[in-house]
Structures are given as structure tokens and as C-alpha cells.
């Protein structure tokens, strides 16, 4: 356990002092980004966007030069504030991004020409060097400083363009700020393109790769943030078209940000998009490769990892299945879950991870993920943490009517507290939001579907929702429905036993008790037969069957106890069974199954047991031959 380690939570630290540099998986998303076929990599938080970005920029990644651009708060504020009279916010932001890309390309060309093409400077490269020096862009600067100078130059049309044979103003007196800024950029980009062409960069070596990551650091829900990202998308297109393949731009965007964008040219990016998805097989390979690297066992087998380091089985499930069922399908979740299991074992001083270690880590991991989910969507869905309370200590299966019933008492308050989101804070809106973020799945046909970015929202007629297994322990929803376990109200021994023993007709009392217990047993058998014909969802069906089995087993066990001479308060025992049947019927009714025959049968059997316990000497549950 002292050596076992699955890596850091974030790609930046994992590359520096974790495992990413040595065990990076060349997934389909990475290969597509590396080839340039996909330039817009979209994924949820923790899906591996930054890992792909960092690997592309590593020595064994993109074979050419890569430049990483990660805006911080100050840079984001500068872009959000950037406006130009005469053009839209999207266009204005695209111009400032184009300026940043052009300056990076110009700086690259000045260094590249000297290193790869000899000391003799081409005229186009000399022009770029003169431009950089005249505009204070020759030194190493923070992105904020570059943005601030570019914004000032574009807004006032005073960029020094003498290196390209143009004077400030460009003869556009009376033109709008937008028109003047656009003309200045055309001159600069033409100069960069000329240098690429003169050096023959397109044919002689891989393109310059501009990588833009961590846009979520500067994202809010305001219109300027929308324009910031939309402008970035538009500018990235311009790089490829303007520089003829000598440079390209790859963007890494969180799915929740990209999916909120609404702009006219959105349809032009579909061929560039790639949404990261992870299969269980890929996540298993990730876990195995990281374990092998940390343990320094290159030939570590799956059987060794999942049978010796980890237990082979947990709660009757194979360990990999248990793990991947309870984590969202993304590397960060798997790494955190595995590390939590390792930590639990290490704290005990154990060399291996036990089933109890995994159970302990499961609860801790679930608590983390429920909190993380609210934080992940804090900008787009700030009300999430309050919606999660609707599922606290409930079953993990919720029917649409039950969800609506739970939400209704809170609807008005939430709509007032989150007025900007009031239109979507309806029962249907809540179901769609919770499905879209992966908290709820929906039953479609014979399986439950959870959203990983491309699934349709819940449709009319899809009324059965499941809380994702990842979040169930944190919410206390371990059963399919909110179903209190059967607990008989048995009283035995002591004074009660003596009082029964002193009765005048002991045999009559015993005979009645036996018949009452038989009534309970026959009621359970009838309910189990009815359940076999019921159209309940599998998880609910299995849980109802298990609980009815507990009642039946307890009735039979009680008879055996009585045969041993131990006195039991059978009346209270039967009333407990009746009460349980009634509660179970009520819970199924709340889940939208009020009209199911099994629900009505539970109510009937509950009433019959009450009548029987009230003093009848015969069974009150009906004939054994009843269906």
C-alpha cells in the first residue's frame, strides 16, 4: 500500500509529480486531436481534457511546436471588457483572440526561422520582428499583458504596422472601431501568413499548434462570457483558414459551457467537435497501467490487481464491475475512488485492500461526488444542492408522479430564490436537468440510461427515474424504493410469559396463535405469487420480494420458537406484519403504482390480518387456493 498510487486529481499536478507522463493512454480522442481531424475537444469536468492538452504539448506529443494558452481571472476580465463600436460582442471578442493567436504565431516564426532556416532573416520574418518590437510584444509576457496592449491598440487603431508598410489609421477615417480593428488584424495576419509561406513551413514540418484550455476559469453565465467563448471559437476557425495549415488551434471546453452557447455559426463546428467518452474497458486499462507504474510491476495482470491487490468480489459483484458501476465514466472519478480504497487499507497498516476497505471508500467517495456535482454546475445550475435534498433518504427509484409530489412543496420558494431560472424549475424541468448532469437515469426499454452528453432528455411516457449508483450512499438511498425493512414487534419472556401460562385454556391460546402465524405465512405466499405477475421494474420487484421473504421466514421461525416452549405475543407480531404490508402499499402508491394489482393486494392482506388479529379464531386472509 505504501507504493500503490493511482495519480493526482488534476492533469497539471499529475503531469508534474504524478503518473500521467508515464502512463498516458492514447485514446481515440487523443489520436483525433493529435492528427488535427478534431480541433474542439468537449468533455465534462474530470473527463481528461487537460490531460490530452498537456500530452499534446509534451515532448512525445505533437511533433511540432505547441503553445499552451490558459487564461486566468485577469485575462478573462480583459476579454470580457473588450468592446468595439460597430460590431457585435461575439465579433469583438473574436478579434482580440485573433490578435493573441497572431502574436504567438509571429513570435514562433521569429524563433523558428533562426533555428530551422538559418541566420539569414527573410524579409517577411524581419517585418514580424519589427512589428513585435514596435508594439512591445517581443518579450515574454503574461497573457493579461498581451491582451491589454492588444485591446488598447485595436480600440484606438494605433497598432504600429509600419513594418508591413502601413501607417496607423490605415486611411479609415470615419470608420467604426470594429472596422478599423478588423483592418489592422488583416494586415497583421497577412504578414504572419506571408512569413509561413516564405519559409515553406506548411510542407516542411508539422504545424504550429495553439492549445487553449481551462476556459472554465474565466466563465460566468453573463453575456460577455458567452461572447468570450463564441469569439474564441470563431477565432480558432480563422487560424486554420488564414495560415493555410501552417498553424492550427485546438480548444478544450467543458461540456456544460459549450452546451449553453447559442450563435449563428454553431453549425459550422460540428465536424470539429469530439465529445470525450470513456468505456469501462478503457477505464480498466487506465487503472491497471497506473497500478503497474506505481508498483513498478510492468507485467501486472488484471487478475493480480482485481484478485490480490483488491478483493475479487465486493457485495457479490466482481470488483471492476462494482467500481465502474459506482463512478461516473471519467478518469478523475476512477482515480479518486481507487485512491480512497488504497488509503483505507493503508490506514489500517494492511498490505492488501479488503472488501471492508472498499465499502468504507464507497461512502466517502459518494459524499465527495455529490458535493462535487453541485460545484461543477454551480454557474449553470446554482440550485442543484437543494434539488438533491428531494432524494435524501428515499429509494433510488423514483416515478415521475412521486418526483412531482416531492418537488411541489418547494417549487414556489425555489422559483423565488432562483428567479432567473424560474421557468425551468418545474417537475419536468427538474427531471431534465438532473438527467442531463448524470444524477438521474431514465428507464428506456429494458435498461436504465444515464446521460453522458448525447442522450435525449426524458420523453413523455418515460416515468421511471433512477439515482446514479455513485450518489446513492451519500443520499442514504440504498434500496430501490423508500421501503422500511420489515421488523416484527415481538414480545417474549418475563411477566408476559407467566400471564399466558396462567390462563385457563392454554391449548386454545396456542392454537389461535398458530393459526394467526399461518395467516401471515399464507398472506406472504399469495403476495409472492401476485408479485410474479406484477409488471414492476426489476430492482423494485427484487426488493419487494426480499422484504416479503423476510416476513414469511420470520413467521415460520416464530412457529418453531413457540414449539420450543417460548411464549410470543403473536397478536403484536401479526399487527406488525399488517402494518408493514400497509406501509409497503403506500410507498408503492407514492411511486406511481397505486393501481398495480400488487399494491391493492398488499392493502387487502393488511386489512385481513388486522381482522384476524382482532379476535377471529380462523384465518382472515382468504383461501390458500386464491390466485
Amino acid at each position: 500500500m505504501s507504493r500503490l498510487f493511482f495519480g493526482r486529481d488534476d492533469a497539471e499536478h499529475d503531469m508534474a509529480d504524478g503518473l500521467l507522463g508515464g502512463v498516458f493512454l492514447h485514446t481515440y480522442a487523443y489520436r483525433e486531436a493529435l492528427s488535427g481531424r478534431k480541433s474542439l475537444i468537449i468533455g465534462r469536468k474530470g473527463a481528461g481534457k487537460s490531460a490530452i492538452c498537456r500530452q499534446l504539448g509534451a515532448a512525445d506529443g505533437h511533433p511540432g511546436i505547441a503553445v499552451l494558452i490558459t487564461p486566468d481571472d485577469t485575462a478573462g476580465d480583459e476579454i470580457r471588457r473588450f468592446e468595439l463600436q460597430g460590431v457585435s460582442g461575439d465579433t469583438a471578442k473574436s478579434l482580440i483572440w485573433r490578435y493573441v493567436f497572431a502574436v504567438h504565431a509571429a513570435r514562433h516564426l521569429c524563433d523558428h526561422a533562426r533555428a530551422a532556416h538559418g541566420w539569414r532573416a527573410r524579409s517577411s520574418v524581419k517585418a514580424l520582428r519589427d512589428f513585435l518590437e514596435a508594439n512591445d510584444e517581443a518579450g515574454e509576457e503574461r497573457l493579461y499583458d498581451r491582451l491589454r496592449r492588444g485591446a488598447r491598440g485595436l480600440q484606438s487603431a494605433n497598432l504600429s504596422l509600419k513594418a508591413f508598410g502601413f501607417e496607423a489609421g490605415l486611411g479609415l477615417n470615419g470608420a467604426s472601431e470594429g472596422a478599423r480593428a478588423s483592418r489592422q488584424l488583416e494586415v497583421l495576419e497577412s504578414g504572419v501568413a506571408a512569413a509561413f509561406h516564405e519559409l515553406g513551413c506548411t510542407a516542411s514540418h508539422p504545424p504550429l499548434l495553439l492549445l487553449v484550455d481551462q476556459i472554465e476559469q474565466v466563465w460566468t453565465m453573463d453575456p460577455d462570457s458567452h461572447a468570450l467563448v463564441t469569439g474564441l471559437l470563431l477565432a480558432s476557425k480563422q487560424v486554420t483558414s488564414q495560415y493555410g495549415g501552417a498553424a492550427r488551434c485546438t480548444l478544450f471546453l467543458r461540456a456544460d459551457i459549450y452546451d449553453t452557447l447559442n450563435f449563428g455559426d454553431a453549425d459550422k463546428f460540428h465536424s470539429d467537435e469530439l465529445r470525450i467518452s470513456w468505456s469501462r474497458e478503457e477505464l480498466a486499462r487506465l487503472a491497471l497501467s497506473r497500478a503497474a507504474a506505481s508498483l513498478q510491476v510492468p507485467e501486472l495482470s488484471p487478475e493480480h490487481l482485481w484478485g490480490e491487490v483488491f478483493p475479487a468480489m465486493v457485495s457479490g459483484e466482481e470488483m471492476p464491475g462494482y467500481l465502474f458501476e459506482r463512478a461516473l465514466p471519467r478518469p478523475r472519478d476512477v482515480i479518486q475512488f481507487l485512491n480512497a480504497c488504497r488509503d483505507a487499507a493503508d490506514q489500517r497498516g494492511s498490505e492488501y485492500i479488503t472488501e471492508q476497505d472498499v465499502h468504507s471508500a464507497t461512502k466517502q467517495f459518494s459524499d465527495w461526488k455529490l458535493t462535487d456535482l453541485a460545484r461543477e454546475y454551480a454557474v449553470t445550475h446554482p440550485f442543484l444542492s437543494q434539488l438533491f435534498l428531494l432524494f435524501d433518504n428515499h429509494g433510488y427509484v423514483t416515478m415521475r408522479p412521486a418526483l412531482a409530489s416531492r418537488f411541489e412543496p418547494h417549487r414556489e420558494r425555489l422559483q423565488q430564490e432562483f428567479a432567473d431560472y424560474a421557468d425551468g424549475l418545474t417537475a419536468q424541468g427538474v427531471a431534465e436537468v438532473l438527467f442531463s448532469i448524470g444524477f438521474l437515469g431514465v428507464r428506456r426499454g429494458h435498461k436504465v440510461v444515464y446521460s453522458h452528453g448525447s442522450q435525449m432528455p426524458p420523453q413523455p411516457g418515460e416515468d421511471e427515474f433512477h439515482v446514479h449508483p455513485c450518489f446513492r450512499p451519500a443520499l442514504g438511498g440504498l434500496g430501490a424504493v423508500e421501503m422500511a425493512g420489515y421488523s416484527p414487534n415481538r414480545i417474549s419472556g418475563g411477566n408476559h410469559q407467566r400471564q399466558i401460562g396462567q390462563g385457563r385454556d392454554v391449548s386454545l391460546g396456542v392454537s389461535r396463535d398458530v393459526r394467526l402465524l399461518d395467516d401471515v405465512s399464507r398472506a406472504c405466499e399469495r403476495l409472492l405469487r401476485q408479485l410474479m405477475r406484477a409488471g414492476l421494474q426489476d430492482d423494485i420487484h427484487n426488493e419487494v420480494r426480499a422484504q416479503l421473504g423476510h416476513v414469511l421466514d420470520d413467521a415460520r421461525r416464530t412457529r418453531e420458537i413457540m414449539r420450543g416452549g417460548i411464549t410470543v405475543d403473536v397478536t403484536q407480531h401479526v399487527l406488525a406484519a399488517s402494518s408493514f404490508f400497509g406501509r409497503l402499499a403506500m410507498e408503492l402508491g407514492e411511486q406511481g403504482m397505486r393501481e398495480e394489482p400488487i399494491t391493492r393486494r398488499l392493502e387487502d392482506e393488511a386489512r385481513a390480518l388486522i381482522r384476524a388479529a382482532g379476535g377471529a379464531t380462523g384465518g382472515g386472509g382468504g383461501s390458500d387456493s386464491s390466485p
Side-chain angles (χ1 to χ4, degrees):
M1 289 303 104
S2 62
R3 298 201 313 272
L4 184 64
F5 182 54
F6 291 92
R8 302 292 182 190
D9 293 346
D10 59 287
E12 296 78 16
H13 290 92
D14 206 26
M15 180 69 80
D17 63 352
L19 296 171
L20 182 58
V23 295
F24 180 79
L25 294 184
H26 288 205
T27 60
Y28 176 75
Y30 173 74
R31 296 194 299 271
E32 289 294 285
L34 180 63
S35 70
R37 286 187 292 270
K38 301 296 180 182
S39 59
L40 179 54
I41 310 302
I42 303 164
R44 287 189 60 173
K45 185 178 182 180
K49 301 181 301 300
S50 291
I52 294 174
C53 179
R54 291 329 188 255
Q55 185 63 27
L56 287 172
D60 57 346
H62 175 63
I65 300 298
V67 176
L68 177 62
I69 302 172
T70 55
D72 58 13
D73 286 342
T74 56
D77 286 343
E78 193 65 41
I79 299 175
R80 276 193 292 267
R81 288 195 300 266
F82 182 70
E83 298 176 344
L84 291 169
Q85 176 269 323
V87 296
S88 67
D90 293 357
T91 300
K93 270 60 169 180
S94 74
L95 295 179
I96 191 64
W97 279 115
R98 283 168 56 188
Y99 175 82
V100 170
F101 295 154
V103 169
H104 275 296
R107 286 170 52 79
H108 158 73
L109 282 164
C110 291
D111 295 337
H112 170 72
R114 183 175 298 171
H117 297 278
W119 285 93
R120 181 183 176 188
R122 308 296 204 278
S123 59
S124 57
V125 176
K126 185 177 183 304
L128 292 181
R129 188 173 294 121
D130 291 343
F131 167 83
L132 293 172
E133 292 176 354
N135 291 279
D136 297 325
E137 294 285 11
E140 293 291 339
E141 296 279 1
R142 296 184 305 159
L143 177 60
Y144 165 74
D145 298 314
R146 186 150 289 135
L147 285 165
R148 182 172 52 82
R149 281 194 299 271
R152 185 171 61 244
L154 292 173
Q155 286 174 329
S156 59
N158 65 358
L159 285 178
S160 176
L161 300 172
K162 290 182 179 179
F164 306 116
F166 289 87
E167 296 293 334
L170 307 174
L172 292 175
N173 294 331
S176 68
E177 285 182 340
R180 294 200 303 267
S182 181
R183 179 57 179 146
Q184 288 184 104
L185 269 176
E186 289 172 3
V187 172
L188 171 57
E189 289 171 336
S190 294
V192 173
F196 275 127
H197 177 74
E198 190 173 2
L199 293 173
C201 289
T202 304
S204 61
H205 54 72
L208 168 68
L209 180 59
L210 301 168
L211 302 168
V212 184
D213 190 23
Q214 296 188 353
I215 291 297
E216 64 271 14
Q217 302 296 329
V218 298
W219 166 262
T220 62
M221 277 293 287
D222 59 43
D224 286 333
S225 288
H226 282 262
L228 179 153
V229 181
T230 302
L232 172 61
L233 291 168
L234 297 173
S236 69
K237 278 280 193 185
Q238 182 72 10
V239 168
T240 303
S241 62
Q242 183 69 37
Y243 303 135
R248 56 186 174 85
C249 186
T250 301
L251 312 181
F252 299 85
L253 290 180
R254 280 238 309 251
D256 56 317
I257 294 176
Y258 186 71
D259 292 340
T260 64
L261 301 179
N262 185 14
F263 62 106
D265 288 335
D267 61 322
K268 296 180 180 179
F269 291 86
H270 293 324
S271 296
D272 300 322
E273 296 175 10
L274 189 149
R275 290 184 182 262
I276 298 176
S277 62
W278 287 83
S279 67
R280 289 194 177 187
E281 291 73 22
E282 289 174 322
L283 292 171
R285 282 198 291 126
L286 178 145
L288 184 64
S289 63
R290 286 172 174 258
S294 65
L295 294 173
Q296 299 179 358
V297 182
E299 302 303 320
L300 183 71
S301 69
E303 292 74 22
H304 186 190
L305 179 62
W306 305 122
E308 297 183 33
V309 179
F310 283 85
M313 305 289 289
V314 178
S315 296
E317 299 179 57
E318 293 184 350
M319 179 61 205
Y322 179 94
L323 170 71
F324 300 129
E325 179 76 13
R326 288 161 177 79
L328 297 182
R330 49 190 182 183
R332 183 175 299 166
D333 282 32
V334 171
I335 289 170
Q336 289 176 342
F337 201 168
L338 292 169
N339 278 336
C341 295
R342 176 262 171 207
D343 292 346
D346 193 42
Q347 287 172 8
R348 295 189 302 103
S350 173
E351 293 186 5
Y352 299 99
I353 296 166
T354 66
E355 184 172 359
Q356 184 55 45
D357 295 325
V358 176
H359 282 304
S360 177
T362 298
K363 178 60 168 66
Q364 180 186 45
F365 175 75
S366 183
D367 290 340
W368 287 345
K369 292 295 103 179
L370 189 64
T371 301
D372 290 346
L373 189 64
R375 291 172 178 165
E376 179 180 352
Y377 290 94
V379 174
T380 53
H381 305 310
F383 45 80
L384 276 184
S385 59
Q386 299 198 40
L387 295 185
F388 295 157
L389 296 176
L390 300 177
F391 301 87
D392 200 20
N393 289 313
H394 286 277
Y396 62 78
V397 177
T398 303
M399 305 304 290
R400 190 184 291 270
L403 178 58
S405 177
R406 288 185 210 166
F407 175 69
E408 185 57 30
H410 307 281
R411 178 180 56 80
E412 185 174 353
R413 176 182 58 81
L414 289 172
Q415 289 177 344
Q416 291 175 354
E417 185 174 348
F418 302 97
D420 292 345
Y421 305 87
D423 290 346
L425 285 171
T426 62
Q428 175 65 21
V430 165
E432 291 180 359
V433 166
L434 295 178
F435 176 79
S436 71
I437 64 174
F439 178 81
L440 285 183
V442 64
R443 174 165 290 281
R444 287 183 174 150
H446 297 293
K447 65 179 181 178
V448 178
V449 176
Y450 295 93
S451 175
H452 303 308
S454 58
Q455 287 81 2
M456 292 187 302
Q459 301 298 299
E462 294 180 335
D463 297 332
E464 185 179 314
F465 302 105
H466 290 232
V467 175
H468 193 286
C470 177
F471 310 110
R472 293 174 191 172
L475 294 165
L478 299 180
V481 294
E482 184 183 1
M483 188 182 298
Y486 171 65
S487 178
N489 183 11
R490 182 187 297 138
I491 304 173
S492 63
N495 294 329
H496 179 73
Q497 182 176 359
R498 288 195 296 271
Q499 290 170 2
I500 294 292
Q502 294 169 359
R504 287 185 304 169
D505 191 351
V506 176
S507 62
L508 179 60
V510 172
S511 176
R512 177 178 181 275
D513 287 348
V514 169
R515 285 196 293 271
L516 284 173
L517 289 173
D518 286 344
D519 284 345
V520 175
S521 297
R522 287 192 291 269
C524 290
E525 292 166 355
R526 286 191 294 271
L527 286 166
L528 287 168
R529 290 195 295 270
Q530 183 80 57
L531 185 63
M532 291 177 62
R533 305 193 300 275
L536 301 185
Q537 183 268 333
D538 289 345
D539 289 342
I540 299 176
H541 179 279
N542 293 338
E543 189 153 350
V544 173
R545 183 179 61 187
Q547 292 296 339
L548 291 175
H550 293 330
V551 181
L552 179 59
D553 291 343
D554 194 69
R556 291 170 175 171
R557 187 165 51 250
T558 300
R559 271 195 78 172
E560 293 302 315
I561 290 173
M562 291 171 60
R563 285 177 180 173
I566 298 175
T567 304
V568 176
D569 189 338
V570 172
T571 298
Q572 290 300 319
H573 185 91
V574 173
L575 291 176
S578 171
S579 176
F580 177 74
F581 291 163
R583 284 202 316 275
L584 185 53
M586 181 178 66
E587 289 158 2
L588 291 176
E590 289 176 351
Q591 292 294 323
M593 292 172 272
R594 172 65 61 192
E595 301 305 318
E596 284 284 340
I598 184 64
T599 306
R600 294 185 176 279
R601 191 58 179 260
L602 281 163
E603 294 171 338
D604 292 343
E605 297 292 355
R607 288 191 294 266
L609 287 179
I610 290 176
R611 290 195 300 270
T617 58
S623 169
D624 283 340
S625 63
S626 62

